[in-house]
Amino acid sequence: MTHTLAALENASEFTARHIGPWADDEARMLSVIGAASREALISTIVPESIRRPEAMRLPAAVSEAQALAELRGIAQQNQVLKSFIGQGYHGTHTPGVILRNILENPAWYTAYTPYQAEISQGRMEALVNFQTMVTDLTGMAMANASMLDEATAAAEAMTLAKRSVKSKSQVILVSADCHPQTIEVVRTRAEPLGLSVVVGELQQLVAEHDCFAVLAQYPASTGHIPDLRALTDAVHAKQAAVIVAADLLALTLLTPPGEWGADIVLGNTQRFGVPMGAGGPHAAYLACKDEFKRSLPGRLVGVSVDAHGNPAYRLALQTREQHIRREKATSNICTAQVLLAVMASMYAVYHGPTGLTRIARRVASFTAVLAEGLARLGHEVLNTTAFDTLSIRTGARTDEIAARAVASGANLRRVSDTVLGVTLDETTTRADLADLLLWFSTEGQTVPEVSEWEAGVALRLPEGLQRQSGFLSHPVFNSHHSETEMLRYIRKLSDKDLALDRTMIPLGSCTMKLNATSEMLPITWPEFAHLHPFAPAEQLAGYQLLNDQLTAWLCQATGYAGISLQPNAGSQGEYAGLLAIRGWHLSRGDEQRTICLIPESAHGTNPASAQMVGMQVVVVKCDAGGNVDLDDLRAKCEQHTDKLAAVMITYPSTFGVFEPRVKELCALVHQHGGRVYVDGANMNALVGVAAPGEFGGDVSHLNLHKTFCIPHGGGGPGVGPVCVVEDLVPFLPGHATAGQVRAGGVGAVSAAPLGNAAVLPISWMYVRMMGAEGLKAATEVAILSANYVAARLADHYDIHYSGGKAGIKGGGVAHECILDLRPLKEASGIGAEDVAKRLIDYGFHAPTLSFPVAGTLMVEPTESEPLAELDRFCDAMIAIREEIRQVENGVWPREDNPLKNAPHTAESLLSSDWAHAYSREQAAYPLPALRRNKYWSPVGRVDNVYGDRNLFCSCLPISELAD
Ligand SMILES: *Cc1c(COP(=O)(O)O)cnc(C)c1O
């Protein structure tokens, strides 16, 4: 065989590494399905009317090495300066043991959200540590397991307060000394809900206004540490809530808000070992007093018991959440920031209370020493109290001093034309202090040496607000301080969990595909990791280029005209997309257009997001085939024709069906003056084959953490780009704090202009290494693999809502298939949950349980799973079907069989009294291969009801751990 040099040089083999089945596997898969070729299968499955006429225009695929080299060039256009900007983002030392064994470890980053409690005990323990860390430091009763960022956490705190207080006021009073991005996002979120935000000096505002809540920052954004005790009493007298955005590191030294009566406390945990990453991802936190806990937004991990009476973790109070409560949910949050919450909690485990206090005292001492030095230079420091931040009146010298700092490799915060801010952190050194004093000195002035006064300097913490109470006294924060122990603790937890590094995770709608290592490598490059989101724009030039290229490529993939990468989860993309639709209607004077039609099969985030933009949800029926019932849609369009704002559909539908009449549906909604929102979570069935922007969609969000390879991280981070057609581009989110304003006037939806910027290189790498052909092949193989699974299981299970395609075994599905277990329930008592738990004994993470149809399992294999793994899964499902038959036939009792008792722990199997109707071998090794490769569930089946009745969301008491 001969090759040209050019062909050899440019060969990209990445596509073959990303896609699981080999070329010869395809022939076998096709023959099981009954399709002649991949092309034939795709044209049977995907309606001709929506097929894209031409290929995506993307740069030709390159190899891993070439893509990394190209991305390195982009990264190098970023300039990494030392940051003294503060404003919620700080330098931090990520302990090496956490960097390598969590952030860079697929056992942690490829895990899914812990809905299946038994295989998620490790990450839930880490999240309970996070919740305990937050409640201890803030002095609050209850904290959730992470929020998307500090600004959205403040917005969620606002609506939590609104739901919970007696005051009927529609006004929230916000301190002007909150971080500006927080104020901006709170304004964005308040406006569609009819809430007014009044910003100013709190003392005065509280005296003059009625309100339902007050939002303060502690310490304040520009450094001062306010004493909010009297104010809190005044706010409570109005039956309103006190919300405090607080810095956790400062709270090691300051009286926590919970001790002086705050109702809700929120903030960021970025400085606990998570790089700034130009704004994200990192975990924000939200804590509240006991009375508010059942109304708390976001995921919450609680302690319950398993079938053997042992303590076990699981997600608590899920009935608050969007997937159950829909438009009445406490928020639309689905994907949060689990990986980063785990990192921050491990930082607290690693340093313990003593270490954290030492870090905080060091920062506070450096700050006090710097303040004295600045005073000696003749500067006026505006804040008399300080933890880490000083505001310095620099008058006419503002530009000159800021420029000197930049020239020496550092950024200061420009608070105003006459005031500069300096924020110190864990990474600040003595040399930094000398530099800072030099930059603030004038020509010829002698720069004083800090050694002259450092000994006698007192911290600038207010007298009455110094922390007296202890915190983090639990053993977990006091036992893992040697690196050996820390390493083993991290390993012990990850060993309890099933992630993609051990098994396929066939979760329908979640697209758990390969997160290639070369995609992950760049995220910790300093040029991406160590940038402040509000550094001068020219220092972020690499990120700008990354943004420009990635949005152009995603426009190609979706057929849309404009994209914003700001939303930091799919739910936030939905919110931003609906804001765009709302903004467009308002710009045309159509204030009455507030009805949002949503099919009953929609993901819970859809109705929850619609509610957040002030729309009223009207549910549209689905027909027997799982399609939107067009007659019902037509009737509802007609009924609401003057008020119709939008329809939100998912395509292919959440049932995994390509609705042939989707164009008609879009046209109908357009006729009635509404806009079409296409939820893009199922884009893995479309990329390169069909584009929502071409078949009638006006807006979509993507989930880069599904289709575009960002790992799920155990429940975040995500990126949810919002994509729109031409006339909606002006209504994409802006970011005034970062100097980005759009014509439509929609404000920021995330704290940082590029949202979870630091994980964008992952999707960039994926597209760059796949190219147009590779991406299209991925879509086709995803469809092929789902149809293969459907075909193999069709003789054993009912395939729900299959396309009924003649000659295609399994009937023809899109990229996922629903197995209907309801018919088996009657005959055997075995339900979908029992099958999900039994799969754990077979070494699998369950498919999506009871969504979009109760009593079903939805399987999405993705293109990345090799045929051998698809077969291992099908073999397990078929073996489980035979087990169900044993129950149907009365061989095993309905209440005592391997399904009802799953998962089986080693402990329960090794117990000397085994009184079940089936053998231990049947329980543990139902298939021979399991003898050689076995995952042991660390706990038996977890009791959800017990946990919600006995709500407990902190580290287990020592007495429980003892035995
Ligand atoms: C995952 C998903 C969402 C929500 O995305 P998050 O990133 O988890 O907020 C919305 N719709 C559908 C159909 C989904 O599968």
PDB file of all heavy atoms in Angstrom, residues 102 123 126-127 129-131 133 144-147 269 272 274 281-284 336-348 713 716-717:
ATOM      1  N   ILE A 102      -8.396  13.945  42.002  1.00  0.00           N
ATOM      2  CA  ILE A 102      -9.814  14.267  41.792  1.00  0.00           C
ATOM      3  C   ILE A 102     -10.001  14.959  40.442  1.00  0.00           C
ATOM      4  O   ILE A 102     -10.585  14.386  39.532  1.00  0.00           O
ATOM      5  CB  ILE A 102     -10.372  15.111  42.957  1.00  0.00           C
ATOM      6  CG1 ILE A 102     -10.394  14.221  44.210  1.00  0.00           C
ATOM      7  CG2 ILE A 102     -11.798  15.605  42.626  1.00  0.00           C
ATOM      8  CD1 ILE A 102     -10.899  14.872  45.440  1.00  0.00           C
ATOM      9  N   ARG A 123     -18.985   9.710  46.269  1.00  0.00           N
ATOM     10  CA  ARG A 123     -19.125  11.146  45.999  1.00  0.00           C
ATOM     11  C   ARG A 123     -20.161  11.767  46.912  1.00  0.00           C
ATOM     12  O   ARG A 123     -20.052  12.948  47.259  1.00  0.00           O
ATOM     13  CB  ARG A 123     -19.392  11.425  44.527  1.00  0.00           C
ATOM     14  CG  ARG A 123     -20.550  10.711  43.888  1.00  0.00           C
ATOM     15  CD  ARG A 123     -20.426  10.886  42.372  1.00  0.00           C
ATOM     16  NE  ARG A 123     -21.530  10.330  41.642  1.00  0.00           N
ATOM     17  CZ  ARG A 123     -21.636   9.070  41.242  1.00  0.00           C
ATOM     18  NH1 ARG A 123     -20.672   8.214  41.536  1.00  0.00           N
ATOM     19  NH2 ARG A 123     -22.663   8.659  40.546  1.00  0.00           N
ATOM     20  N   ALA A 126     -18.409  12.787  50.011  1.00  0.00           N
ATOM     21  CA  ALA A 126     -17.671  14.038  49.793  1.00  0.00           C
ATOM     22  C   ALA A 126     -18.630  15.236  49.807  1.00  0.00           C
ATOM     23  O   ALA A 126     -18.288  16.314  50.307  1.00  0.00           O
ATOM     24  CB  ALA A 126     -16.905  13.968  48.472  1.00  0.00           C
ATOM     25  N   LEU A 127     -19.832  15.048  49.258  1.00  0.00           N
ATOM     26  CA  LEU A 127     -20.798  16.154  49.239  1.00  0.00           C
ATOM     27  C   LEU A 127     -21.372  16.432  50.627  1.00  0.00           C
ATOM     28  O   LEU A 127     -21.659  17.588  50.967  1.00  0.00           O
ATOM     29  CB  LEU A 127     -21.927  15.859  48.244  1.00  0.00           C
ATOM     30  CG  LEU A 127     -21.492  15.870  46.774  1.00  0.00           C
ATOM     31  CD1 LEU A 127     -22.641  15.441  45.871  1.00  0.00           C
ATOM     32  CD2 LEU A 127     -20.965  17.235  46.345  1.00  0.00           C
ATOM     33  N   ASN A 129     -19.604  16.070  53.250  1.00  0.00           N
ATOM     34  CA  ASN A 129     -18.505  16.859  53.834  1.00  0.00           C
ATOM     35  C   ASN A 129     -18.634  18.321  53.406  1.00  0.00           C
ATOM     36  O   ASN A 129     -18.418  19.240  54.201  1.00  0.00           O
ATOM     37  CB  ASN A 129     -17.147  16.314  53.387  1.00  0.00           C
ATOM     38  CG  ASN A 129     -16.853  14.926  53.949  1.00  0.00           C
ATOM     39  OD1 ASN A 129     -17.524  14.464  54.858  1.00  0.00           O
ATOM     40  ND2 ASN A 129     -15.841  14.265  53.387  1.00  0.00           N
ATOM     41  N   PHE A 130     -18.977  18.533  52.134  1.00  0.00           N
ATOM     42  CA  PHE A 130     -19.150  19.905  51.622  1.00  0.00           C
ATOM     43  C   PHE A 130     -20.257  20.615  52.409  1.00  0.00           C
ATOM     44  O   PHE A 130     -20.088  21.731  52.879  1.00  0.00           O
ATOM     45  CB  PHE A 130     -19.495  19.841  50.130  1.00  0.00           C
ATOM     46  CG  PHE A 130     -19.736  21.185  49.476  1.00  0.00           C
ATOM     47  CD1 PHE A 130     -18.681  21.924  48.956  1.00  0.00           C
ATOM     48  CD2 PHE A 130     -21.020  21.701  49.362  1.00  0.00           C
ATOM     49  CE1 PHE A 130     -18.907  23.161  48.341  1.00  0.00           C
ATOM     50  CE2 PHE A 130     -21.258  22.929  48.755  1.00  0.00           C
ATOM     51  CZ  PHE A 130     -20.196  23.661  48.237  1.00  0.00           C
ATOM     52  N   GLN A 131     -21.390  19.922  52.550  1.00  0.00           N
ATOM     53  CA  GLN A 131     -22.529  20.537  53.251  1.00  0.00           C
ATOM     54  C   GLN A 131     -22.167  20.850  54.710  1.00  0.00           C
ATOM     55  O   GLN A 131     -22.528  21.895  55.248  1.00  0.00           O
ATOM     56  CB  GLN A 131     -23.748  19.603  53.192  1.00  0.00           C
ATOM     57  CG  GLN A 131     -24.292  19.465  51.782  1.00  0.00           C
ATOM     58  CD  GLN A 131     -25.346  18.381  51.584  1.00  0.00           C
ATOM     59  OE1 GLN A 131     -25.778  18.157  50.478  1.00  0.00           O
ATOM     60  NE2 GLN A 131     -25.754  17.688  52.632  1.00  0.00           N
ATOM     61  N   MET A 133     -19.111  21.372  55.866  1.00  0.00           N
ATOM     62  CA  MET A 133     -18.154  22.480  55.824  1.00  0.00           C
ATOM     63  C   MET A 133     -18.909  23.813  55.752  1.00  0.00           C
ATOM     64  O   MET A 133     -18.610  24.761  56.473  1.00  0.00           O
ATOM     65  CB  MET A 133     -17.267  22.276  54.596  1.00  0.00           C
ATOM     66  CG  MET A 133     -16.412  23.440  54.190  1.00  0.00           C
ATOM     67  SD  MET A 133     -15.567  23.045  52.626  1.00  0.00           S
ATOM     68  CE  MET A 133     -16.592  23.925  51.449  1.00  0.00           C
ATOM     69  N   ASN A 144     -26.987  23.119  50.827  1.00  0.00           N
ATOM     70  CA  ASN A 144     -27.133  22.158  49.739  1.00  0.00           C
ATOM     71  C   ASN A 144     -25.762  21.763  49.190  1.00  0.00           C
ATOM     72  O   ASN A 144     -24.723  22.214  49.664  1.00  0.00           O
ATOM     73  CB  ASN A 144     -28.089  22.686  48.666  1.00  0.00           C
ATOM     74  CG  ASN A 144     -27.481  23.815  47.855  1.00  0.00           C
ATOM     75  OD1 ASN A 144     -26.278  24.079  47.933  1.00  0.00           O
ATOM     76  ND2 ASN A 144     -28.296  24.477  47.073  1.00  0.00           N
ATOM     77  N   ALA A 145     -25.788  20.900  48.167  1.00  0.00           N
ATOM     78  CA  ALA A 145     -24.553  20.268  47.707  1.00  0.00           C
ATOM     79  C   ALA A 145     -23.867  21.010  46.567  1.00  0.00           C
ATOM     80  O   ALA A 145     -23.051  20.433  45.882  1.00  0.00           O
ATOM     81  CB  ALA A 145     -24.850  18.838  47.275  1.00  0.00           C
ATOM     82  N   SER A 146     -24.191  22.274  46.359  1.00  0.00           N
ATOM     83  CA  SER A 146     -23.520  23.206  45.448  1.00  0.00           C
ATOM     84  C   SER A 146     -24.512  23.955  44.582  1.00  0.00           C
ATOM     85  O   SER A 146     -25.607  23.474  44.282  1.00  0.00           O
ATOM     86  CB  SER A 146     -22.466  22.579  44.527  1.00  0.00           C
ATOM     87  OG  SER A 146     -23.030  21.912  43.404  1.00  0.00           O
ATOM     88  N   MET A 147     -24.082  25.140  44.196  1.00  0.00           N
ATOM     89  CA  MET A 147     -24.828  26.005  43.285  1.00  0.00           C
ATOM     90  C   MET A 147     -23.898  26.328  42.125  1.00  0.00           C
ATOM     91  O   MET A 147     -22.707  26.062  42.173  1.00  0.00           O
ATOM     92  CB  MET A 147     -25.228  27.309  43.987  1.00  0.00           C
ATOM     93  CG  MET A 147     -26.116  27.103  45.197  1.00  0.00           C
ATOM     94  SD  MET A 147     -27.732  26.454  44.784  1.00  0.00           S
ATOM     95  CE  MET A 147     -28.540  27.928  44.232  1.00  0.00           C
ATOM     96  N   THR A 269     -16.987  28.792  46.756  1.00  0.00           N
ATOM     97  CA  THR A 269     -15.936  28.033  47.432  1.00  0.00           C
ATOM     98  C   THR A 269     -14.687  27.957  46.559  1.00  0.00           C
ATOM     99  O   THR A 269     -13.825  27.119  46.783  1.00  0.00           O
ATOM    100  CB  THR A 269     -16.416  26.607  47.768  1.00  0.00           C
ATOM    101  OG1 THR A 269     -16.692  25.908  46.550  1.00  0.00           O
ATOM    102  CG2 THR A 269     -17.679  26.629  48.620  1.00  0.00           C
ATOM    103  N   PHE A 272     -11.146  27.633  47.870  1.00  0.00           N
ATOM    104  CA  PHE A 272     -10.778  26.382  48.525  1.00  0.00           C
ATOM    105  C   PHE A 272     -10.199  25.419  47.484  1.00  0.00           C
ATOM    106  O   PHE A 272     -10.723  24.333  47.222  1.00  0.00           O
ATOM    107  CB  PHE A 272     -11.993  25.769  49.239  1.00  0.00           C
ATOM    108  CG  PHE A 272     -12.290  26.373  50.591  1.00  0.00           C
ATOM    109  CD1 PHE A 272     -11.969  27.694  50.876  1.00  0.00           C
ATOM    110  CD2 PHE A 272     -12.881  25.620  51.597  1.00  0.00           C
ATOM    111  CE1 PHE A 272     -12.238  28.269  52.125  1.00  0.00           C
ATOM    112  CE2 PHE A 272     -13.149  26.171  52.853  1.00  0.00           C
ATOM    113  CZ  PHE A 272     -12.828  27.495  53.113  1.00  0.00           C
ATOM    114  N   VAL A 274      -9.751  25.611  44.122  1.00  0.00           N
ATOM    115  CA  VAL A 274     -10.217  25.481  42.743  1.00  0.00           C
ATOM    116  C   VAL A 274      -9.704  26.669  41.920  1.00  0.00           C
ATOM    117  O   VAL A 274      -9.974  27.816  42.267  1.00  0.00           O
ATOM    118  CB  VAL A 274     -11.765  25.419  42.694  1.00  0.00           C
ATOM    119  CG1 VAL A 274     -12.246  25.214  41.265  1.00  0.00           C
ATOM    120  CG2 VAL A 274     -12.289  24.314  43.598  1.00  0.00           C
ATOM    121  N   PRO A 281     -15.308  26.509  35.998  1.00  0.00           N
ATOM    122  CA  PRO A 281     -16.310  26.190  37.012  1.00  0.00           C
ATOM    123  C   PRO A 281     -15.754  26.191  38.420  1.00  0.00           C
ATOM    124  O   PRO A 281     -14.595  25.854  38.632  1.00  0.00           O
ATOM    125  CB  PRO A 281     -16.706  24.762  36.632  1.00  0.00           C
ATOM    126  CG  PRO A 281     -15.466  24.177  36.022  1.00  0.00           C
ATOM    127  CD  PRO A 281     -14.791  25.320  35.319  1.00  0.00           C
ATOM    128  N   HIS A 282     -16.584  26.618  39.349  1.00  0.00           N
ATOM    129  CA  HIS A 282     -16.361  26.331  40.759  1.00  0.00           C
ATOM    130  C   HIS A 282     -17.706  26.252  41.445  1.00  0.00           C
ATOM    131  O   HIS A 282     -18.720  26.660  40.895  1.00  0.00           O
ATOM    132  CB  HIS A 282     -15.454  27.336  41.461  1.00  0.00           C
ATOM    133  CG  HIS A 282     -15.103  28.528  40.667  1.00  0.00           C
ATOM    134  ND1 HIS A 282     -15.904  29.609  40.610  1.00  0.00           N
ATOM    135  CD2 HIS A 282     -14.041  28.787  39.863  1.00  0.00           C
ATOM    136  CE1 HIS A 282     -15.341  30.504  39.825  1.00  0.00           C
ATOM    137  NE2 HIS A 282     -14.219  30.038  39.344  1.00  0.00           N
ATOM    138  N   ALA A 283     -17.694  25.749  42.663  1.00  0.00           N
ATOM    139  CA  ALA A 283     -18.958  25.495  43.347  1.00  0.00           C
ATOM    140  C   ALA A 283     -19.337  26.674  44.222  1.00  0.00           C
ATOM    141  O   ALA A 283     -18.565  27.095  45.066  1.00  0.00           O
ATOM    142  CB  ALA A 283     -18.839  24.235  44.197  1.00  0.00           C
ATOM    143  N   ALA A 284     -20.521  27.203  44.000  1.00  0.00           N
ATOM    144  CA  ALA A 284     -21.069  28.137  44.966  1.00  0.00           C
ATOM    145  C   ALA A 284     -21.823  27.329  46.016  1.00  0.00           C
ATOM    146  O   ALA A 284     -22.061  26.133  45.842  1.00  0.00           O
ATOM    147  CB  ALA A 284     -21.995  29.126  44.283  1.00  0.00           C
ATOM    148  N   ALA A 336     -25.318  20.725  38.592  1.00  0.00           N
ATOM    149  CA  ALA A 336     -24.747  21.774  39.443  1.00  0.00           C
ATOM    150  C   ALA A 336     -23.215  21.763  39.284  1.00  0.00           C
ATOM    151  O   ALA A 336     -22.733  21.806  38.159  1.00  0.00           O
ATOM    152  CB  ALA A 336     -25.198  21.577  40.876  1.00  0.00           C
ATOM    153  N   GLN A 337     -22.476  21.719  40.365  1.00  0.00           N
ATOM    154  CA  GLN A 337     -21.005  21.810  40.284  1.00  0.00           C
ATOM    155  C   GLN A 337     -20.362  20.759  41.179  1.00  0.00           C
ATOM    156  O   GLN A 337     -19.484  21.064  41.985  1.00  0.00           O
ATOM    157  CB  GLN A 337     -20.548  23.210  40.741  1.00  0.00           C
ATOM    158  CG  GLN A 337     -21.076  24.369  39.929  1.00  0.00           C
ATOM    159  CD  GLN A 337     -20.290  24.611  38.645  1.00  0.00           C
ATOM    160  OE1 GLN A 337     -19.560  23.733  38.151  1.00  0.00           O
ATOM    161  NE2 GLN A 337     -20.426  25.792  38.099  1.00  0.00           N
ATOM    162  N   VAL A 338     -20.759  19.511  41.026  1.00  0.00           N
ATOM    163  CA  VAL A 338     -20.343  18.499  41.993  1.00  0.00           C
ATOM    164  C   VAL A 338     -18.827  18.315  42.053  1.00  0.00           C
ATOM    165  O   VAL A 338     -18.237  18.309  43.134  1.00  0.00           O
ATOM    166  CB  VAL A 338     -21.046  17.152  41.714  1.00  0.00           C
ATOM    167  CG1 VAL A 338     -20.441  16.038  42.549  1.00  0.00           C
ATOM    168  CG2 VAL A 338     -22.538  17.286  42.003  1.00  0.00           C
ATOM    169  N   LEU A 339     -18.173  18.204  40.908  1.00  0.00           N
ATOM    170  CA  LEU A 339     -16.728  17.928  40.924  1.00  0.00           C
ATOM    171  C   LEU A 339     -15.977  19.004  41.716  1.00  0.00           C
ATOM    172  O   LEU A 339     -15.053  18.714  42.475  1.00  0.00           O
ATOM    173  CB  LEU A 339     -16.201  17.856  39.484  1.00  0.00           C
ATOM    174  CG  LEU A 339     -14.754  17.406  39.360  1.00  0.00           C
ATOM    175  CD1 LEU A 339     -14.595  15.946  39.774  1.00  0.00           C
ATOM    176  CD2 LEU A 339     -14.252  17.588  37.924  1.00  0.00           C
ATOM    177  N   LEU A 340     -16.402  20.249  41.541  1.00  0.00           N
ATOM    178  CA  LEU A 340     -15.716  21.353  42.209  1.00  0.00           C
ATOM    179  C   LEU A 340     -16.100  21.419  43.680  1.00  0.00           C
ATOM    180  O   LEU A 340     -15.281  21.801  44.528  1.00  0.00           O
ATOM    181  CB  LEU A 340     -16.025  22.681  41.506  1.00  0.00           C
ATOM    182  CG  LEU A 340     -15.743  22.722  39.995  1.00  0.00           C
ATOM    183  CD1 LEU A 340     -14.373  22.177  39.685  1.00  0.00           C
ATOM    184  CD2 LEU A 340     -16.801  22.085  39.147  1.00  0.00           C
ATOM    185  N   ALA A 341     -17.331  21.020  44.000  1.00  0.00           N
ATOM    186  CA  ALA A 341     -17.727  20.936  45.415  1.00  0.00           C
ATOM    187  C   ALA A 341     -16.906  19.856  46.111  1.00  0.00           C
ATOM    188  O   ALA A 341     -16.472  20.028  47.253  1.00  0.00           O
ATOM    189  CB  ALA A 341     -19.220  20.644  45.530  1.00  0.00           C
ATOM    190  N   VAL A 342     -16.675  18.755  45.391  1.00  0.00           N
ATOM    191  CA  VAL A 342     -15.840  17.688  45.952  1.00  0.00           C
ATOM    192  C   VAL A 342     -14.424  18.223  46.210  1.00  0.00           C
ATOM    193  O   VAL A 342     -13.844  18.004  47.282  1.00  0.00           O
ATOM    194  CB  VAL A 342     -15.813  16.464  45.009  1.00  0.00           C
ATOM    195  CG1 VAL A 342     -14.748  15.459  45.440  1.00  0.00           C
ATOM    196  CG2 VAL A 342     -17.186  15.795  44.953  1.00  0.00           C
ATOM    197  N   MET A 343     -13.881  18.966  45.236  1.00  0.00           N
ATOM    198  CA  MET A 343     -12.527  19.524  45.427  1.00  0.00           C
ATOM    199  C   MET A 343     -12.479  20.441  46.645  1.00  0.00           C
ATOM    200  O   MET A 343     -11.565  20.362  47.463  1.00  0.00           O
ATOM    201  CB  MET A 343     -12.104  20.316  44.186  1.00  0.00           C
ATOM    202  CG  MET A 343     -11.710  19.456  43.007  1.00  0.00           C
ATOM    203  SD  MET A 343     -11.204  20.468  41.594  1.00  0.00           S
ATOM    204  CE  MET A 343      -9.590  21.059  42.155  1.00  0.00           C
ATOM    205  N   ALA A 344     -13.460  21.345  46.743  1.00  0.00           N
ATOM    206  CA  ALA A 344     -13.451  22.303  47.855  1.00  0.00           C
ATOM    207  C   ALA A 344     -13.594  21.579  49.191  1.00  0.00           C
ATOM    208  O   ALA A 344     -12.932  21.922  50.173  1.00  0.00           O
ATOM    209  CB  ALA A 344     -14.572  23.320  47.673  1.00  0.00           C
ATOM    210  N   SER A 345     -14.449  20.537  49.210  1.00  0.00           N
ATOM    211  CA  SER A 345     -14.624  19.813  50.479  1.00  0.00           C
ATOM    212  C   SER A 345     -13.328  19.103  50.844  1.00  0.00           C
ATOM    213  O   SER A 345     -12.947  19.037  52.004  1.00  0.00           O
ATOM    214  CB  SER A 345     -15.791  18.832  50.380  1.00  0.00           C
ATOM    215  OG  SER A 345     -15.421  17.667  49.680  1.00  0.00           O
ATOM    216  N   MET A 346     -12.629  18.575  49.829  1.00  0.00           N
ATOM    217  CA  MET A 346     -11.367  17.879  50.106  1.00  0.00           C
ATOM    218  C   MET A 346     -10.287  18.852  50.574  1.00  0.00           C
ATOM    219  O   MET A 346      -9.408  18.485  51.354  1.00  0.00           O
ATOM    220  CB  MET A 346     -10.894  17.126  48.862  1.00  0.00           C
ATOM    221  CG  MET A 346     -11.735  15.912  48.529  1.00  0.00           C
ATOM    222  SD  MET A 346     -11.645  14.640  49.811  1.00  0.00           S
ATOM    223  CE  MET A 346     -12.693  13.380  49.068  1.00  0.00           C
ATOM    224  N   TYR A 347     -10.359  20.092  50.103  1.00  0.00           N
ATOM    225  CA  TYR A 347      -9.427  21.124  50.566  1.00  0.00           C
ATOM    226  C   TYR A 347      -9.627  21.335  52.069  1.00  0.00           C
ATOM    227  O   TYR A 347      -8.654  21.457  52.828  1.00  0.00           O
ATOM    228  CB  TYR A 347      -9.707  22.396  49.773  1.00  0.00           C
ATOM    229  CG  TYR A 347      -8.866  23.619  50.071  1.00  0.00           C
ATOM    230  CD1 TYR A 347      -7.711  23.879  49.336  1.00  0.00           C
ATOM    231  CD2 TYR A 347      -9.257  24.540  51.042  1.00  0.00           C
ATOM    232  CE1 TYR A 347      -6.973  25.030  49.569  1.00  0.00           C
ATOM    233  CE2 TYR A 347      -8.537  25.686  51.278  1.00  0.00           C
ATOM    234  CZ  TYR A 347      -7.383  25.936  50.536  1.00  0.00           C
ATOM    235  OH  TYR A 347      -6.662  27.079  50.766  1.00  0.00           O
ATOM    236  N   ALA A 348     -10.892  21.324  52.508  1.00  0.00           N
ATOM    237  CA  ALA A 348     -11.179  21.482  53.939  1.00  0.00           C
ATOM    238  C   ALA A 348     -10.757  20.233  54.713  1.00  0.00           C
ATOM    239  O   ALA A 348     -10.256  20.325  55.834  1.00  0.00           O
ATOM    240  CB  ALA A 348     -12.661  21.769  54.148  1.00  0.00           C
ATOM    241  N   GLY A 713     -18.794  14.882  35.828  1.00  0.00           N
ATOM    242  CA  GLY A 713     -18.217  15.292  37.109  1.00  0.00           C
ATOM    243  C   GLY A 713     -19.007  14.841  38.325  1.00  0.00           C
ATOM    244  O   GLY A 713     -18.867  15.427  39.394  1.00  0.00           O
ATOM    245  N   GLY A 716     -21.928  17.789  37.549  1.00  0.00           N
ATOM    246  CA  GLY A 716     -21.449  19.111  37.159  1.00  0.00           C
ATOM    247  C   GLY A 716     -19.955  19.160  37.279  1.00  0.00           C
ATOM    248  O   GLY A 716     -19.384  18.343  37.992  1.00  0.00           O
ATOM    249  N   PRO A 717     -19.297  20.032  36.529  1.00  0.00           N
ATOM    250  CA  PRO A 717     -19.813  21.201  35.822  1.00  0.00           C
ATOM    251  C   PRO A 717     -20.470  20.864  34.492  1.00  0.00           C
ATOM    252  O   PRO A 717     -20.212  19.824  33.907  1.00  0.00           O
ATOM    253  CB  PRO A 717     -18.546  22.020  35.554  1.00  0.00           C
ATOM    254  CG  PRO A 717     -17.480  20.985  35.368  1.00  0.00           C
ATOM    255  CD  PRO A 717     -17.838  19.902  36.347  1.00  0.00           C
TER     256      PRO A 717
END
